[in-house]
Amino acid sequence: MNIARRLTLAATVSVMAAFAGASFAADKIVIGTEGAYPPFNNLEADGTLTGFDIDIGKALCEELKAECTFVTNDWDGIIPALQAKKFDAILASMSITPERKEKVDFTVKYYNTPPAIAVPKDSPIKEASEAGLDGKVLGAQSSTTHSNYAEAHMKKSELKLYPTADEYKLDLANGRIDAVIDDVVVLSEWLKTEDGACCKILGTLPVDPTINGDGAGIAVRKGDDALREKLNGAIAAIRANGKYKEINAKYFPFDVYGE
């Protein structure tokens, strides 16, 4: 499936929590995600949504006994779409940052991982730093904390922005750019695939709290305290009852929740 189709296809995945004997209607929540950021969220060729974000969302909906529908939206327009009430929440590995807090409200984090640099295996670049990337072309997905990080801390590089992660991966694999910056998990999982066999992790980067924020949270419209608090409660519940750990183990060999 080509990238354009993946980002425009209005794929939906419905999750109805089992609740035997219920005598009232379940809450209905429409959740927006990108569908182009594996292993966190990805729109498969058959139209299904998969990934850590999606499984976490399903678990939260089950905990809330809510009927949830997942829809895809391009990343650049995902916050405006939330504000326009196309969906009720964003669950798409969105970092909780001061800039985004001006536009939306966030739940508590549901995971937290650092940024990293990936390069071709035969790259002469030796260090994941501004000095190490001096004069190099660095790729990043636009409108992300990683592109913001590169603009702030990799000023000696030529920054090239892409609408999706898939596009920078393709350019790195084909030698059109020298390095890329993204979440260490996203890059590590890509390197395990046939398409990612070209490349390696050069190193992780120091977290800048003002840019990287406090981890990934679920965004809701400003003032929607009722939904935010319900989701906060559900996150705490799946952390306590072992469901989060079960989903974590499905995707990662380490605790993605972070400190």
Side-chain angles (χ1 to χ4, degrees):
M1 177 179 291
N2 63 46
I3 293 168
R5 184 182 174 197
R6 290 176 60 186
L7 292 181
T8 57
L9 180 62
T12 62
V13 182
S14 293
V15 183
M16 183 65 185
F19 192 44
S23 58
F24 53 88
D27 288 338
K28 293 185 177 181
I29 304 171
V30 182
I31 300 173
T33 194
E34 183 187 14
Y37 199 59
F40 291 102
N41 60 80
N42 196 50
L43 184 61
E44 303 294 343
D46 63 1
T48 59
L49 281 165
T50 61
F52 180 79
D53 289 340
I54 307 307
D55 285 359
I56 289 292
K58 290 178 180 179
L60 296 176
C61 291
E62 183 175 354
E63 185 66 34
L64 292 172
K65 302 176 176 60
E67 182 180 347
C68 294
T69 302
F70 290 81
V71 299
T72 58
N73 198 95
D74 67 279
W75 180 256
D76 285 347
I78 204 165
I79 287 180
L82 174 68
Q83 294 170 326
K85 299 186 178 181
K86 292 184 179 179
F87 31 81
D88 303 305
I90 298 170
L91 207 169
S93 292
M94 182 172 281
S95 296
I96 304 166
T97 66
E99 180 182 4
R100 288 176 180 149
K101 283 181 177 180
E102 294 177 2
K103 301 175 183 177
V104 297
D105 288 338
F106 282 98
T107 64
V108 296
K109 73 169 186 177
Y110 64 96
Y111 81 84
N112 193 9
T113 49
I117 298 290
V119 296
K121 287 181 176 176
D122 60 356
S123 172
I125 302 172
K126 302 299 183 185
E127 184 180 299
S129 66
E130 183 175 28
L133 291 163
D134 188 358
K136 305 300 181 182
V137 181
L138 177 64
Q141 185 177 3
S142 62
S143 302
T144 63
T145 55
H146 306 297
S147 62
N148 292 342
Y149 189 102
E151 288 172 347
H153 298 292
M154 301 293 174
K155 294 179 180 178
K156 295 181 180 180
S157 302
E158 177 187 342
L159 182 60
K160 185 172 183 180
L161 300 178
Y162 296 84
T164 70
D166 285 341
E167 290 168 287
Y168 77 58
K169 291 172 184 175
L170 184 62
D171 271 9
L172 184 64
N174 287 306
R176 290 189 283 266
I177 57 177
D178 300 303
V180 296
I181 179 173
D182 208 328
D183 185 281
V184 66
V185 173
V186 170
L187 293 175
S188 296
E189 291 300 306
W190 173 58
L191 297 181
K192 295 176 184 177
T193 69
E194 183 177 349
D195 290 339
C198 59
C199 303
K200 64 182 181 180
I201 296 289
L202 183 63
T204 57
L205 297 166
V207 170
D208 181 341
T210 62
I211 295 174
N212 301 111
D214 302 317
I218 303 171
V220 300
R221 281 185 291 278
K222 276 286 186 183
D224 194 350
D225 296 336
L227 179 56
R228 181 175 56 83
E229 288 306 318
K230 284 181 180 179
L231 290 168
N232 279 341
I235 291 170
I238 66 170
R239 288 280 298 165
N241 66 19
K243 187 63 178 179
Y244 184 99
K245 185 176 181 180
E246 176 187 324
I247 296 169
N248 190 123
K250 176 180 175 181
Y251 292 95
F252 313 114
F254 57 91
D255 182 9
V256 77
Y257 188 77
E259 297 181 358

